[in-house]
């Protein structure tokens, strides 16, 4: 952990917004090994029924993790998840904007004395939710 940040139940966290470009998708594909053409080729994406080139789901989750890291000062992420409900469509001529909002749902101490914070998240692109029921649980302090 880099720094301790005080978080309180009910606290609404400052939204984070991330731009996603097609160049980002090319770099992510190279780094991850996921060369599926729906993430880079408009014609292929449309041929399989998508509205256009879409971001990798795990790239979207990485943006969520980045927001959580910023809000918690780099606290250890114990759990991070959600259900992919809509794709992040990335136009050729402008970036897509992924917005991550969060609310502190619970601050609790576990059996080991660690302080765990549960964040309820909302992840949208163009006003459309792209993740269903996203949540994160982070350890903000240890009992030791």
């Amino acid at each position: 952990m880099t720094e301790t940040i005080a978080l309180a139940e009910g606290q609404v966290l400052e939204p984070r917004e991330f731009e996603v470009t097609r160049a980002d998708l090319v770099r992510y594909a190279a780094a991850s090994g996921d060369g599926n053409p729906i993430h880079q080729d408009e014609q292929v994406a449309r041929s399989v029924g998508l509205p256009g080139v879409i971001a990798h789901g795990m790239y979207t989750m990485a943006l969520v993790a980045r927001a959580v890291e910023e809000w918690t000062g780099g606290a250890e992420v114990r759990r991070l998840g959600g259900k992919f409900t809509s794709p992040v469509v990335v136009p050729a001529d402008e970036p897509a904007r992924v917005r991550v909002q969060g609310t502190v749902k619970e601050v609790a101490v576990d059996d080991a004395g660690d302080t765990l914070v549960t964040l309820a998240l909302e992840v949208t692109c163009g006003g459309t939710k792209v993740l269903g029921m996203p949540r994160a649980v982070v350890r903000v302090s240890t009992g030791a």
Side-chain angles (χ1 to χ4, degrees), residues 36 38 42-52:
N36 189 326
I38 64 171
E42 187 84 24
Q43 185 176 7
V44 171
R46 290 186 183 278
S47 76
V48 297
L50 295 168

Side-chain angles (χ1 to χ4, degrees), residues 9-66:
E9 287 183 21
Q11 181 179 352
V12 177
L13 304 169
E14 184 70 29
R16 299 293 193 254
E17 192 167 286
F18 303 97
E19 291 188 347
V20 181
T21 66
R22 291 209 178 165
D24 294 328
L25 301 183
V26 169
R27 286 189 293 275
Y28 183 82
S32 69
D34 183 350
N36 189 326
I38 64 171
H39 303 301
Q40 297 180 38
D41 187 309
E42 187 84 24
Q43 185 176 7
V44 171
R46 290 186 183 278
S47 76
V48 297
L50 295 168
V53 168
I54 64 169
H56 303 75
M58 295 314 293
Y59 183 82
T60 303
M61 288 300 293
L63 297 176
V64 174
R66 186 184 305 170

